[in-house]
Amino acid sequence: MTEQTDDSLTPPRAALVGIVGGSFSGLFGLGGGIVMVPLLTSLGGLTQRRASAYSLAAILPAAVVGSIPYLTHQAVDLVAAGLLVVGSVIGAVVGARLLARVPESLLRWLFVGVLVAGIVRSLLDGFGEPPEVDTAEGLPSLLDGAGMVGLGLVMGVASGLLGIGGGQLAVPGLSALFDFAPALAKGTSLVAMIPTAVSGTWVNARNGLVHLKTAALIGLVASAFSFGGASLSVVLPDRVASVAFAALLVFALVQQVRKALERRPH
């Protein structure tokens, strides 16, 4: 069986994926690959494998732009981000290498698991306490530092294999394991995602899974349209936004499961 090419991902389709993905990501304050991968398989016509590769590359400009407000508000722990990167750049290379080898059907079911986790997290966020804003303080202990490197490794493997951003794993990990406030966890994770995306995309480009110009178009358009979505998000109550995002993920989940079942051998 030959790998499907990405000829169907023309510049207009790539721009459309960026517009829709960026708008949703800005509107709901979440997204990254969890929004981009389903769009790339449906609107972009890519296989799950190539969608993961393109999503990881497209995350890069969005991560750079998105990290600026966190950095200006000192909502990034640079030491923790550096420790995450130590593990994540290695993990992203491992994940990207696995991406070239793991069966397409397994990739789909793994992404289904990511969507289910995203739905649960969105609903919990919507009915939880409002997030606090915090700034970085002090240096982590040796044990905490090793734990952050390990968390980065897991984050990197997931990013390289599934094309998702680090926030899906790093944000709850930093909050639950190291008592980071939600805003600080998001900012730290976003900064760490920049070198993570670079290392994984480097492997994917060498494996011929991604055209960098097309991925850059998606990422830049998504970054531009995320501002519009973010502007709209301020008028939405947090609970409504979380439930709406969960509904979007349920729709993506149904599509992913349908495609996975369609491709099962008879």
Side-chain angles (χ1 to χ4, degrees):
M1 177 178 178
T2 57
E3 179 72 22
Q4 174 187 325
T5 66
D6 50 0
D7 294 340
S8 59
L9 190 59
T10 59
R13 282 195 179 194
L16 180 60
V17 169
I19 290 169
V20 177
S23 299
F24 278 136
S25 295
L27 177 61
F28 297 123
L30 292 167
I34 205 171
V35 170
M36 203 66 74
V37 170
L39 288 173
L40 284 163
T41 57
S42 55
L43 296 180
L46 297 184
T47 63
Q48 191 76 21
R49 191 185 322 280
R50 288 184 178 275
S52 294
Y54 272 87
S55 173
L56 183 62
I59 284 169
L60 182 55
V64 172
V65 172
S67 65
I68 293 173
Y70 288 100
L71 288 166
T72 56
H73 288 86
Q74 298 184 336
V76 176
D77 188 324
L78 292 176
V79 174
L83 290 168
L84 286 175
V85 166
V86 171
S88 68
V89 293
I90 298 171
V93 170
V94 172
R97 288 180 175 173
L98 287 172
L99 177 63
R101 295 169 173 80
V102 171
E104 183 83 7
S105 58
L106 178 56
L107 286 174
R108 285 193 183 279
W109 285 114
L110 288 173
F111 198 81
V112 164
V114 169
L115 289 171
V116 170
I119 292 166
V120 172
R121 184 181 166 206
S122 296
L123 293 175
L124 290 177
D125 285 349
F127 293 94
E129 293 298 320
E132 359 172 343
V133 177
D134 203 354
T135 56
E137 289 184 8
L139 294 173
S141 67
L142 185 61
L143 182 60
D144 282 352
M148 289 176 187
V149 172
L151 177 61
L153 183 65
V154 175
M155 161 189 167
V157 171
S159 298
L161 179 60
L162 301 174
I164 61 175
Q168 187 69 17
L169 294 173
V171 171
L174 289 171
S175 298
L177 300 176
F178 308 107
D179 296 323
F180 275 46
L184 183 61
K186 289 177 184 177
T188 302
S189 155
L190 202 53
V191 169
M193 193 58 214
I194 297 171
T196 306
V198 170
S199 62
T201 298
W202 175 73
V203 175
N204 287 332
R206 291 190 63 181
N207 287 334
L209 292 178
V210 59
H211 290 169
L212 296 180
K213 288 184 180 180
T214 305
L217 173 62
I218 297 170
L220 292 171
V221 171
S223 298
F225 276 82
S226 67
F227 286 105
S231 300
L232 182 59
S233 71
V234 299
V235 302
L236 281 180
D238 291 341
R239 208 165 272 188
V240 173
S242 295
V243 172
F245 186 70
L248 173 66
L249 295 187
V250 168
F251 177 78
L253 175 65
V254 170
Q255 299 304 310
Q256 288 288 113
V257 171
R258 180 181 61 80
K259 289 181 179 179
L261 293 175
E262 282 176 355
R263 292 171 182 269
R264 289 178 64 183
H266 297 289

